[in-house]
């Protein structure tokens, strides 16, 4: 049996456990925080569906956003649950969210006799790690304009959810830069005829030309 199949069994066991368990629902409004950076984890949260943003604020006040996510069957707090360290990111609701509250000791007891759940949790963490490292590596190795263009292309082909922030400063936070630097990179892409603005959103103007631009940047 493959790791993927074992993880799928673990996911189903988690879903059945949460559905049938005595876990209270917590109704969150837009702007409320599910988890706050720097605090000690008290409970984990299971979200069936909703929108959340994930961000981190450094000691110097600079903020990095991982973006806005369409959440489906997601457990939050799993990293801190396993490490015992303070919460690393702010998890903010970007729409109405209903979460099931999972006490730490309940999950510990469940994992003790459900090994498939441990495999599922490990796979979730590995996927998250790879995704974050891919993004961080790209930010270090390529110019900002490249990363913005690559982000748009991934959304175009469906490898990322088609979501952008309407406020420019929040888009800039996704790329770890200031609003001024972000605007300059976007202007560069517009001048090259690669992207355009439609209804306050960035859209690809010429997909083939943009793909050639990305390939050229990767070969430099």
């Amino acid at each position: 049996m493959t790791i993927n199949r074992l993880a799928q069994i673990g996911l189903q066991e988690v879903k059945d456990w949460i559905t049938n368990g005595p876990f209270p629902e917590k109704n969150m409004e837009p702007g409320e925080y599910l988890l706050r950076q720097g605090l000690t984890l008290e409970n984990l949260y299971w979200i069936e569906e909703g929108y959340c943003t994930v961000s981190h604020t450094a000691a110097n006040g600079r903020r990095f956003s991982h973006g806005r996510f369409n959440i489906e069957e997601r457990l939050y707090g799993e990293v801190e649950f396993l490490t015992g360290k303070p919460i690393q990111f702010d998890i903010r609701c970007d729409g109405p969210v209903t979460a099931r509250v999972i006490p730490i000791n309940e999950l510990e007891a469940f994992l003790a006799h459900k090994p498939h759940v441990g495999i599922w949790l490990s796979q979730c963490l590995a996927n998250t790690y790879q995704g974050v490292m891919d993004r961080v590596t790209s930010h270090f190795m390529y110019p900002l304009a490249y990363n913005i263009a690559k982000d748009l292309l991934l959304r175009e082909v469906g490898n990322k959810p088609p979501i952008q922030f309407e406020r420019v400063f929040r888009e800039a936070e996704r790329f770890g830069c200031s609003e001024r630097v972000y605007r300059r990179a976007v202007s560069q892409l517009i001048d090259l005829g690669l992207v355009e603005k439609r209804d306050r959103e960035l859209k690809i103007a010429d997909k083939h030309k943009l793909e050639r631009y990305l390939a050229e940047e990767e070969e430099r």
Side-chain angles (χ1 to χ4, degrees):
M1 190 174 291
T2 66
I3 285 292
N4 283 340
R5 179 57 188 148
L6 293 172
Q8 289 172 2
I9 293 172
L11 172 59
Q12 189 58 55
E13 289 178 341
V14 168
K15 290 163 63 176
D16 291 342
W17 176 62
I18 291 174
T19 300
N20 300 319
F23 305 116
E25 290 187 346
K26 185 174 183 179
N27 296 313
M28 311 287 292
E29 296 296 325
E32 288 191 81
Y33 287 86
L34 200 64
L35 297 173
R36 294 306 306 261
Q37 176 184 331
L39 298 183
T40 299
L41 183 72
E42 296 181 353
N43 296 292
L44 295 92
Y45 296 92
W46 174 263
I47 299 177
E48 286 286 344
E49 187 176 5
Y51 290 96
C52 290
T53 57
V54 181
S55 62
H56 179 87
T57 304
N60 61 7
R62 292 187 63 181
R63 185 177 175 188
F64 179 79
S65 171
H66 285 280
R68 183 176 186 240
F69 297 91
N70 183 4
I71 309 301
E72 292 182 357
E73 297 178 341
R74 176 71 157 84
L75 184 67
Y76 273 118
E78 76 282 18
V79 173
E80 292 80 6
F81 166 76
L82 291 171
T83 65
K85 294 182 178 180
I87 296 168
Q88 190 174 16
F89 298 103
D90 282 327
I91 311 296
R92 180 179 180 273
C93 299
D94 251 23
V97 170
T98 299
R100 299 291 288 271
V101 183
I102 314 297
I104 291 174
N105 63 330
E106 293 282 351
L107 183 57
E108 288 173 338
F110 187 58
L111 279 169
H113 66 276
K114 291 290 184 179
H116 291 120
V117 174
I119 294 173
W120 165 75
L121 189 57
S122 297
Q123 188 180 71
C124 290
L125 293 171
N127 286 333
T128 299
Y129 171 81
Q130 283 194 323
V132 170
M133 289 308 299
D134 283 346
R135 184 174 179 182
V136 169
T137 301
S138 181
H139 283 192
F140 275 114
M141 302 299 290
Y142 298 107
L144 176 59
Y146 168 94
N147 284 292
I148 294 172
K150 185 68 175 288
D151 184 77
L152 288 170
L153 181 62
L154 290 175
R155 296 180 192 283
E156 175 87 6
V157 300
N159 289 347
K160 277 190 173 184
I163 296 171
Q164 295 185 52
F165 291 122
E166 292 183 358
R167 303 291 295 276
V168 174
F169 80 90
R170 294 189 68 188
E171 274 294 283
E173 287 176 350
R174 289 204 303 117
F175 294 93
C177 66
S178 67
E179 183 177 340
R180 178 180 59 82
V181 172
Y182 176 82
R183 287 183 184 276
R184 187 169 59 197
V186 168
S187 295
Q188 178 185 343
L189 294 173
I190 292 174
D191 291 342
L192 291 171
L194 304 178
V195 305
E196 59 188 6
K197 287 188 177 181
R198 300 182 215 151
D199 300 325
R200 299 180 65 184
E201 288 189 357
L202 284 182
K203 300 290 184 180
I204 295 174
D206 187 323
K207 183 179 177 182
H208 296 298
K209 190 175 179 180
L210 185 141
E211 288 174 334
R212 288 197 302 271
Y213 162 79
L214 293 174
E216 290 170 0
E217 287 291 332
E218 290 166 359
E219 290 173 359
R220 289 185 179 181

